[in-house]
Amino acid sequence: MNFGEEDASSGSGDDVHMLDGHKRQAGVPASSSRRKRSRKATGDAIVDAMLEIAAVSKMRTNAIMKNEDRFSVSKCIKALDEMQDTSTIMDDIDLELNEMELVAAAVGYYYYNCITKQPSRSLSPRRCGFMTEMLNGPNDFSREMLRMDKHVFHKLCDILRQRSLLRDTAGVMIEEQLTIFLNIIGHNERNRVIQERFQHSGETISRHFNNVLKAIKSLSREFLQPPDTTSSPEILSSSRFYPYFKDCIGVIDGMNIPAHVPAKDQSRFRNKKGLLSQNVLAACTFDLQFIFIYPGWEGSVTDSRVLRAVLDDPDQNFPKVPEGKYYLVDMEYSNMGGFLAPFQGVRYHHYEYRGANQLPRNAKELFNHRHCCLRNAIGRSFNVLKTRFPILKLAPQYSFHVQRDIVIAACVLHNFIRQQERNDWLFKSVGEAIMDEIPDADELPGVQLISSMEEQLAFSLRDSIATAMWDDFLNKWNEW
């Protein structure tokens, strides 16, 4: 086996000396001869070491294959450990390996030593203690760290395991992988903090974070479902909303999430408040569950434009609005078929109905007030979502496609928790609060013009609802 090396005394690189253990070019100076002998000894030592490494690697491989279950990780590790102190007799091993195979054997053996000889962080008492306290400790602590009740957490782990969306590794079980992910998005923690908390390397933390993110995102089609076409219990149980909004199936609005983007894209992602954000189109039910999520739009794009783009693109799979049904939208959207907006130029928000002028003065004001009360469901959904996962309140230092996927995964977890635990503490506390938003004046659309038969029907529907509502209000004087 020959190794070529350039002579350090040669400026042109044309003099090349070949080391083969037997031959040396004649007529070279003594100093050059000593350097060559030194290189020869080094080369021979390298060759011998690599042959020995290859032999040991081959013996260990053979030991693994003799096990009854050759794919058992625990049995493979046990067999390798048994070979740890076995001496290798080179004369008894017939090896025909080329240079590339020797390098591969050396790399494989080095990697094996890194795994087996270095202290295992997975056995850290500190990490084991943290996971034990997390899963078996007080409910308040587990709830704070996991952002959900323990039985919901275990149910989610079962789903991820049974569907093979995640798998247990030698050092990190699925429960710990999911806990790492929830700690990051539930507390907006940096990788270095999670390394210290779970006693894993930064690469391990990053890998499991991305694996869990991908697994949860894959559940979006199952947990982001089109709404029921029947009247919701929240409408049926209130004389303020029924029968006026009996055909309403949900609420649509935009949500601005702080974004971290490259400098070249910042102008497009800067919203009207001057902040970098992504515009997320969301639809939810009155039960505070998300129906549809479309993140990733630039913050400078208006909500109405995002909705129009989604409706015009069938690939976005926006749930088709059934005939005669509609979503509630705010003043930033047009009043059109399938989307019922409030009257413009008429007070609308809760804060405008306080004090001496709290009572509505006409049909449009009464309609707007009740429209606002019912549409408040999406504001409460956003509030629960951001309270549970504070990473959505700040711009995380991830690539933009990861930031977008985090929004989808957070909404999937939001719906999963809602379905598994109706008495979740955040839905009971934060979700019941009234969200009072004050819109920016420049975000309000201009005067709407009726330009099609479909829009004429939409305006007629709104007028008829307002009239019926006002007549009943005057005659029955119900709660308004």
Side-chain angles (χ1 to χ4, degrees):
M1 182 180 298
N2 297 334
F3 291 86
E5 182 174 347
E6 180 179 337
D7 189 351
S9 65
S10 173
S12 67
D14 293 334
D15 273 338
V16 178
H17 307 284
M18 304 305 296
L19 298 177
D20 59 4
H22 301 286
K23 298 180 181 179
R24 180 167 60 88
Q25 289 183 350
V28 294
S31 60
S32 176
S33 177
R34 285 194 297 270
R35 285 196 298 271
K36 290 176 66 177
R37 283 197 299 270
S38 176
R39 289 196 298 271
K40 176 182 180 302
T42 302
D44 289 343
I46 291 174
V47 171
D48 291 340
M50 293 180 73
L51 286 170
E52 183 174 354
I53 289 171
V56 174
S57 179
K58 183 175 181 180
M59 292 176 65
R60 293 168 189 267
T61 302
N62 291 335
I64 293 173
M65 301 302 291
K66 291 177 181 178
N67 283 275
E68 293 180 1
D69 184 1
R70 61 181 179 176
F71 298 106
S72 170
V73 174
S74 60
K75 289 187 177 181
C76 290
I77 294 175
K78 181 179 179 181
L80 290 171
D81 288 339
E82 290 174 353
M83 298 298 300
Q84 184 69 29
D85 299 323
T86 302
S87 60
T88 305
I89 303 176
M90 299 300 298
D91 295 338
D92 296 337
I93 300 175
D94 181 18
L95 290 177
E96 295 181 359
L97 300 174
N98 59 27
E99 296 177 21
M100 187 63 70
E101 289 172 326
L102 287 172
V103 173
V107 172
Y109 186 60
Y110 173 77
Y111 180 72
Y112 164 73
N113 279 343
C114 289
I115 295 176
T116 59
K117 290 187 176 181
Q118 291 183 355
S120 175
R121 301 184 73 177
S122 63
L123 299 178
S124 167
R126 180 174 179 180
R127 182 181 69 85
C128 293
F130 179 78
M131 286 302 299
T132 300
E133 185 178 6
M134 180 85 66
L135 300 177
N136 302 320
N139 290 331
D140 290 343
F141 176 75
S142 302
R143 180 182 292 169
E144 173 62 22
M145 300 308 296
L146 300 173
R147 313 307 294 158
M148 63 184 73
D149 289 323
K150 283 190 288 188
H151 72 92
V152 179
F153 172 82
H154 287 297
K155 177 66 174 179
L156 181 57
C157 289
D158 291 341
I159 291 176
L160 296 174
R161 179 175 283 112
Q162 292 168 4
R163 302 185 185 182
S164 299
L165 298 175
L166 292 175
R167 62 180 182 85
D168 298 314
T169 65
V172 188
M173 302 288 286
I174 288 178
E175 285 75 10
E176 186 173 2
Q177 297 173 33
L178 183 57
T179 301
I180 289 172
F181 179 81
L182 294 174
N183 270 243
I184 292 175
I185 70 170
H187 298 277
N188 195 31
E189 297 284 19
R190 296 294 183 263
N191 187 294
R192 188 173 299 277
V193 176
I194 301 299
Q195 289 180 46
E196 178 64 22
R197 181 173 297 166
F198 290 89
Q199 295 294 291
H200 287 304
S201 68
E203 186 277 333
T204 299
I205 297 297
S206 178
R207 173 161 41 85
H208 288 304
F209 173 85
N210 286 286
N211 288 343
V212 175
L213 176 62
K214 181 180 178 180
I216 294 178
K217 182 187 173 185
S218 69
L219 297 173
S220 60
R221 288 187 178 274
E222 178 179 349
F223 290 100
L224 299 178
Q225 287 289 328
D228 193 347
T229 56
T230 60
S231 298
S232 70
E234 290 76 14
I235 293 177
L236 290 172
S237 61
S238 174
S239 59
R240 301 170 64 203
F241 305 135
Y242 187 83
Y244 318 110
F245 295 107
K246 59 182 174 60
D247 293 321
C248 183
I249 56 175
V251 188
I252 288 179
D253 201 0
M255 172 174 55
N256 279 292
I257 301 292
H260 175 74
V261 294
K264 63 182 180 67
D265 297 324
Q266 289 185 358
S267 60
R268 295 186 294 112
F269 283 86
R270 200 172 299 279
N271 60 29
K272 294 183 178 180
K273 295 182 179 180
L275 304 176
L276 296 176
S277 67
Q278 59 168 311
N279 195 344
V280 180
L281 179 68
C284 79
T285 66
F286 299 106
D287 188 37
L288 309 188
Q289 293 192 51
F290 290 104
I291 303 168
F292 179 82
I293 290 291
Y294 187 27
W297 278 84
E298 299 92 333
S300 60
V301 179
T302 62
D303 293 347
S304 57
R305 180 184 167 191
V306 176
L307 176 61
R308 176 52 62 189
V310 169
L311 296 177
D312 291 342
D313 185 359
D315 292 337
Q316 299 306 325
N317 296 317
F318 183 83
K320 181 179 176 63
V321 184
E323 185 69 27
K325 304 295 181 178
Y326 55 83
Y327 290 94
L328 296 184
V329 295
D330 65 11
M331 294 182 179
E332 296 182 34
Y333 300 88
S334 299
N335 188 67
M336 56 185 182
F339 305 92
L340 189 65
F343 290 98
Q344 292 187 32
V346 179
R347 56 179 177 159
Y348 177 73
H349 295 277
H350 291 287
Y351 68 89
E352 297 177 286
Y353 289 88
R354 294 172 182 163
N357 296 321
Q358 59 178 325
L359 288 177
R361 294 167 295 192
N362 53 52
K364 291 183 177 181
E365 287 191 354
L366 180 62
F367 175 90
N368 275 13
H369 182 268
R370 293 185 177 176
H371 184 287
C372 179
C373 292
L374 196 55
R375 198 188 67 85
N376 195 256
I378 198 162
R380 286 152 45 213
S381 297
F382 290 159
N383 197 18
V384 173
L385 184 71
K386 292 182 178 181
T387 301
R388 191 183 304 277
F389 305 117
I391 197 172
L392 302 178
K393 295 182 179 180
L394 300 171
Q397 301 296 309
Y398 296 107
S399 60
F400 188 70
H401 79 276
V402 173
Q403 298 176 55
R404 185 179 62 239
D405 289 348
I406 287 174
V407 177
I408 299 175
C411 292
V412 171
L413 291 172
H414 173 99
N415 281 11
F416 180 78
I417 295 169
R418 184 60 165 169
Q419 294 173 18
Q420 296 295 321
E421 180 52 73
R422 301 295 301 181
N423 294 320
D424 175 80
W425 87 102
L426 281 178
F427 278 106
K428 290 185 66 176
S429 57
V430 180
E432 293 177 356
I434 295 178
M435 300 300 299
D436 210 355
E437 300 178 0
I438 302 177
D440 294 334
D442 57 352
E443 290 184 357
L444 297 179
V447 177
Q448 298 176 357
L449 300 177
I450 303 177
S451 58
S452 67
M453 180 61 67
E454 181 183 2
E455 290 180 337
Q456 291 182 28
L457 293 175
F459 277 79
S460 297
L461 173 64
R462 184 174 64 181
D463 290 339
S464 64
I465 292 175
T467 300
M469 193 181 294
W470 180 249
D471 289 342
D472 290 343
F473 175 72
L474 292 179
N475 296 326
K476 301 178 182 178
W477 195 253
N478 289 332
E479 58 175 333
W480 61 277

